């Protein structure tokens, strides 16, 4: 069986080979943790963004979308607490000179114990066959219980030490667990220090008058500072939400997991403004609702789990992650945070402007509380892409590489092939494309034998291949092949649009949110 590392390497090389993701400025040897989306990647990313936007904005009467600027007045970041508190604890290895996030070193350690649990589960499932009950096994098997207890104890201590800013204890924990530098194996560590993640820049022409700015580390603040403008111009009543997607920037210390942790990335965030005191209900609502969105894509309920935070960000009174099973284990994909009235109150204080909502039902003013949902678009891309990449053993003994992207998200919905490059078949194939292109992204391919073209489109994630042959000229029928089943059907050209639409229509996919 391929190791996690091998699988991840395959994901990265496939993303490059099939025009999804390239290293930024590759001809200059790249820039660490910065990536470009290529022709297919840009389409997949756009489709994920649209799937999110429709679910959040179009399908919720009380949520509107905005697009705020990346540059914001620098006081924004003082008020939000990012200047003082948006830090990561970092540690250097004195021998290898490599720098790590101290909390990530500890979490990687616990992830290894988790892998051991998964191994025990697999072994037991094999042993007990159909009679295997995973929940019962996890709750009763002593070895698994010991592993889990060890994980819980370590993470609890890490959470508490970070919460109390006790960085000396974080170092002690690393030493007690005998965590070694992954590069060199050395356990010779420096003390743990805090490191601010914001990128600074300057606005203005001359050095004297230039203003120090930050590139936004989260899109959320663009929503907070516009809260009252949007509420008033949209005549919105609490509870209501403001959503946006856009770039965010963080000077990440650990940036070695491809597009999982980038220095420039995109977020899809929604701030839901509510009456103080109702946070816990809305927090639960959004946790559940967001999980439904994920499950609607059919990538397997087993691949998701909630992780409640021990250590809370400076603005939150409750927080949970939706974690996904990436090729390197379960990791955060999305955060749901109950941010209290922290941000609006702070902006009110720092700007001297009232940011209050007048509640007509209660005839009073108050600063609303906020429940936020925040997902990284690039991370979602990685979740979808890595989960979809599969090697399949075929009946004839060969293997095929297939990218089983949810059809709704696939960059190209269909590829149209003439069986041969003559006899009027290319012309008919182009005619079909000219008709389908108004509804879907479709491409033409005439290179190589049809079998190889199928393989190429499988690896590219294209849900349908349409082959035009000599019979097509006579009876206006073609062969349509389904990526996942590899089944082929002879259908009338006039039916193609309906067949493709049924599989890729965003509405039908989104409606699954109500069925999971
Ligand atoms: N506004 C709240 C906020 O920004 P966060 O947990 O720091 O919360 C939210 O980030 C989401 O943004 C994460 O769950 C993750 O999907 C994504 N994200 C954060 N940092 C990232 C990075 N360096 N690269 C890619 N995605 C990132």
């Amino acid at each position: 069986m391929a190791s996690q590392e091998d699988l991840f390497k395959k994901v990265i090389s496939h993303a490059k080979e099939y025009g999804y993701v390239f290293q930024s400025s590759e001809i200059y040897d790249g820039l660490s943790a910065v990536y470009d989306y290529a022709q297919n990647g840009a389409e997949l990313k756009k489709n994920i963004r649209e799937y999110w936007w429709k679910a959040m904005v179009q399908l919720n009467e009380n949520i509107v979308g905005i697009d705020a600027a990346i540059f914001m007045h620098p006081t924004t970041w003082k008020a939000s607490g990012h200047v003082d508190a948006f830090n990561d604890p970092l540690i250097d290895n004195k021998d290898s000179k490599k720098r790590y996030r101290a909390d990530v070193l500890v979490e990687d350690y616990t992830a290894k114990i988790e892998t051991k649990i998964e191994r025990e589960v697999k072994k037991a499932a094999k042993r007990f066959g159909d009679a295997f009950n995973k929940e019962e096994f996890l709750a009763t098997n002593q070895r698994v219980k010991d592993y889990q207890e060890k994980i819980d104890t370590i993470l609890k201590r890490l959470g508490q030490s970070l919460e109390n800013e006790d960085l000396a204890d974080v170092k002690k924990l690393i030493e007690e667990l005998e965590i070694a530098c992954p590069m060199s194996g050395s356990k010779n560590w420096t003390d743990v220090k805090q490191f601010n993640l914001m990128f600074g820049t300057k606005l203005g022409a001359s050095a004297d008058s230039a203003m120090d700015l930050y590139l936004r580390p989260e899109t959320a603040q663009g929503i907070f500072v516009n809260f009252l403008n949007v509420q008033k111009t949209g005549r919105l009543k609490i509870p209501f939400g403001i959503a946006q997607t856009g770039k965010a920037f963080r000077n990440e210390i650990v940036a070695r997991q491809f597009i999982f942790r980038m220095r420039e990335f995109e977020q899809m965030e929604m701030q839901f403004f509510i009456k103080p005191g109702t946070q816990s209900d809305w927090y639960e609502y959004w946790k559940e609702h967001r999980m439904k969105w994920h499950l609607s894509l059919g990538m397997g309920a087993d691949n998701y789990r909630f992780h409640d935070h021990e250590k809370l960000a400076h603005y939150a009174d409750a927080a949970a992650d939706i974690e996904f099973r990436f090729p390197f284990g379960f990791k955060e994909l999305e955060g749901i945070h109950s941010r209290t009235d922290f941000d609006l109150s702070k902006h009110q204080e720092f700007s001297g402007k009232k940011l209050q909502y007048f509640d007509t039902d209660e005839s009073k003013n108050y600063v609303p509380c906020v429940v936020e949902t925040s997902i990284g678009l690039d991370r979602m891309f990685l979740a979808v892409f890595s989960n979809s990449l599969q090697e399949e053993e075929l009946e004839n003994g060969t293997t095929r590489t297939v990218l089983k992207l949810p059809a709704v998200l696939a960059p190209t919905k269909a590829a149209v092939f003439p069986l041969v490059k003559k006899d009027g078949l290319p012309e008919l194939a182009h005619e079909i494309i000219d008709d389908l292109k108004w509804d879907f992204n479709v491409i033409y391919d005439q290179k190589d034998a049809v079998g190889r073209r199928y393989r190429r489109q499988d690896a590219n994630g294209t849900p349908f291949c349409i082959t035009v042959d000599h019979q097509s000229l006579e009876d206006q029928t073609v062969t349509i092949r389904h990526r996942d089943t590899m089944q082929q059907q002879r259908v009338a050209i006039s039916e193609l649009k309906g067949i493709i639409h049924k599989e890729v229509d965003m509405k039908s996919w989104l409606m699954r949110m109500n069925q999971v």
Side-chain angles (χ1 to χ4, degrees):
M1 213 173 79
S3 70
Q4 286 190 336
E5 213 169 296
D6 289 343
L7 285 177
F8 193 37
K9 277 191 191 146
K10 261 191 197 142
V11 166
I12 298 171
S13 64
H14 197 88
K16 180 171 178 195
E17 193 181 340
Y18 285 88
Y20 278 84
V21 183
F22 299 149
Q23 175 88 57
S24 157
S25 337
E26 198 192 63
I27 57 166
Y28 295 107
D29 297 331
L31 195 58
S32 163
V34 186
Y35 291 90
D36 295 339
Y37 287 88
Q39 65 278 23
N40 283 321
E43 292 287 343
L44 174 56
K45 202 172 165 203
K46 174 178 73 59
N47 293 342
I48 298 174
R49 194 189 293 112
E50 192 185 347
Y51 196 69
W52 181 88
W53 187 270
K54 285 208 163 151
M56 299 303 273
V57 180
Q58 187 172 322
L59 294 181
N60 287 291
E61 264 178 51
N62 58 350
I63 298 183
V64 294
I66 65 165
D67 183 12
I70 287 172
F71 292 140
M72 298 185 69
H73 193 282
T75 311
T76 309
W77 305 109
K78 198 71 204 145
S80 68
H82 283 81
V83 172
D84 297 322
F86 195 54
N87 301 319
D88 272 347
L90 69 86
I91 191 166
D92 292 283
N93 186 275
K94 289 185 196 164
D95 297 323
S96 68
K97 310 281 180 249
K98 292 283 171 201
R99 177 164 283 187
Y100 298 95
R101 254 175 70 177
D103 55 335
V104 171
L105 280 181
V106 176
E107 279 164 11
D108 284 351
Y109 180 89
T110 57
K112 283 196 188 124
I113 310 179
E114 232 166 67
T115 314
K116 288 185 186 167
I117 296 181
E118 282 183 16
R119 233 180 274 144
E120 293 292 332
V121 169
K122 262 195 197 141
K123 268 200 299 193
K126 213 167 164 192
R127 206 166 51 234
F128 294 117
D130 287 346
F132 182 61
N133 178 330
K134 189 174 168 189
E135 261 76 64
E136 194 184 316
F137 179 74
L138 291 176
T140 53
N141 181 279
Q142 195 52 46
R143 189 176 295 168
V144 167
K145 277 168 56 183
D146 291 345
Y147 282 147
Q148 193 55 52
E149 194 184 326
K150 191 167 179 196
I151 294 175
D152 295 344
T153 312
I154 294 170
L155 291 181
K156 187 155 184 223
R157 176 157 159 211
L158 176 70
Q160 280 167 349
S161 310
L162 291 173
E163 181 99 40
N164 302 333
E165 293 273 319
D166 187 354
L167 299 183
D169 191 57
V170 178
K171 180 179 181 190
K172 216 163 130 213
L173 181 61
I174 289 174
E175 286 173 341
E176 278 172 25
L177 297 173
E178 301 191 352
I179 295 175
C181 165
M183 299 297 282
S184 65
S186 153
K187 294 173 191 159
N188 192 5
W189 297 108
T190 62
D191 288 341
V192 179
K193 283 173 285 190
Q194 292 289 17
F195 173 82
N196 193 287
L197 298 182
M198 283 198 293
F199 282 107
T201 185
K202 292 204 179 285
L203 183 92
S206 76
D208 323 333
S209 63
M211 193 182 202
D212 286 315
L213 293 188
Y214 295 103
L215 297 182
R216 65 181 179 193
E218 61 170 6
T219 58
Q221 296 305 323
I223 294 179
F224 288 122
V225 299
N226 279 299
F227 147 75
L228 213 51
N229 282 341
V230 176
Q231 187 269 320
K232 289 204 161 131
T233 52
R235 298 180 310 282
L236 298 168
K237 279 190 80 174
I238 269 178
F240 72 90
I242 306 178
Q244 78 166 327
T245 69
K247 285 280 172 103
F249 302 83
R250 295 182 190 179
N251 198 0
E252 297 284 0
I253 308 158
V254 184
R256 58 186 154 77
Q257 282 165 323
F258 190 40
I259 54 171
F260 179 81
R261 203 179 299 286
M262 301 158 90
R263 297 203 160 104
E264 174 182 341
F265 58 102
E266 192 165 337
Q267 289 187 313
M268 307 191 286
E269 298 202 298
M270 192 277 300
Q271 315 299 127
F272 201 66
F273 298 89
I274 53 177
K275 199 161 106 183
T278 62
Q279 302 86 296
S280 67
D281 287 349
W282 283 115
Y283 173 65
E284 291 305 326
Y285 171 86
W286 280 109
K287 268 175 77 173
E288 196 188 323
H289 198 69
R290 290 300 304 146
M291 185 59 104
K292 284 185 175 169
W293 181 82
H294 286 285
L295 295 179
S296 72
L297 285 168
M299 298 203 296
D302 271 7
N303 288 326
Y304 300 86
R305 69 180 188 195
F306 282 113
H307 166 76
D308 293 320
H309 282 208
E310 283 278 339
K311 178 189 186 278
L312 294 171
H314 59 274
Y315 47 72
D317 70 355
D321 296 334
I322 293 177
E323 292 188 339
F324 184 76
R325 197 197 299 266
F326 286 98
F328 36 82
F330 269 106
K331 295 274 176 205
E332 172 184 350
L333 169 58
E334 168 157 11
I336 292 101
H337 311 126
S338 171
R339 291 181 79 132
T340 66
D341 64 355
F342 176 88
D343 301 84
L344 289 181
S345 297
K346 285 287 175 189
H347 286 306
Q348 191 167 256
E349 182 187 326
F350 277 73
S351 67
K353 311 256 164 52
K354 281 227 175 308
L355 289 177
Q356 297 194 345
Y357 170 79
F358 181 69
D359 191 325
T360 46
D361 298 338
E362 306 218 345
S363 299
K364 67 173 188 196
N365 282 305
Y366 55 77
V367 177
C369 282
V370 170
V371 171
E372 157 186 82
T373 71
S374 174
I375 176 169
L377 175 48
D378 313 84
R379 225 173 252 194
M380 183 64 195
F381 183 113
L382 182 58
V384 171
F385 192 87
S386 59
N387 187 69
S388 303
L389 186 59
Q390 295 173 21
E391 296 274 330
E392 271 184 4
E393 301 276 339
L394 301 181
E395 274 169 14
N396 64 6
T398 61
T399 52
R400 72 161 180 159
T401 301
V402 52
L403 190 62
K404 288 189 170 173
L405 297 170
V408 64
L409 302 180
T412 306
K413 304 303 188 201
V416 186
F417 310 153
L419 187 64
V420 290
K421 291 182 252 179
K422 54 183 186 182
D423 304 337
L425 302 189
E427 288 75 7
L428 181 54
H430 279 297
E431 258 176 50
I432 294 173
I433 288 183
D434 280 344
D435 183 38
L436 294 179
K437 74 183 180 192
W438 296 94
D439 296 279
F440 318 107
N441 254 348
V442 281
I443 56 161
Y444 176 82
D445 189 3
Q446 64 172 25
K447 193 168 178 293
D448 302 321
V450 169
R452 290 190 68 176
R453 284 181 254 174
Y454 282 155
R455 289 287 178 276
R456 193 151 57 229
Q457 293 307 323
D458 286 346
N460 218 32
T462 310
F464 294 104
C465 290
I466 296 161
T467 306
V468 175
D469 55 22
H470 291 94
Q471 187 185 334
S472 311
L473 299 174
E474 286 159 25
D475 64 4
Q476 293 289 300
T477 64
V478 288
T479 306
I480 184 161
R481 173 188 179 269
H482 297 250
R483 177 196 65 195
D484 296 349
T485 59
M486 295 193 294
Q487 275 180 355
Q488 302 183 18
Q489 276 171 281
R490 189 91 204 169
V491 301
I493 291 172
S494 58
E495 287 177 86
L496 286 173
K497 205 175 287 178
I499 295 172
I500 300 172
H501 187 263
K502 199 162 152 250
E503 295 273 324
V504 308
D505 172 41
M506 205 168 269
K507 176 180 165 189
S508 328
W509 283 81
L510 284 167
M511 283 177 89
R512 296 180 192 184
M513 282 177 76
N514 301 327
Q515 291 150 18
V516 288

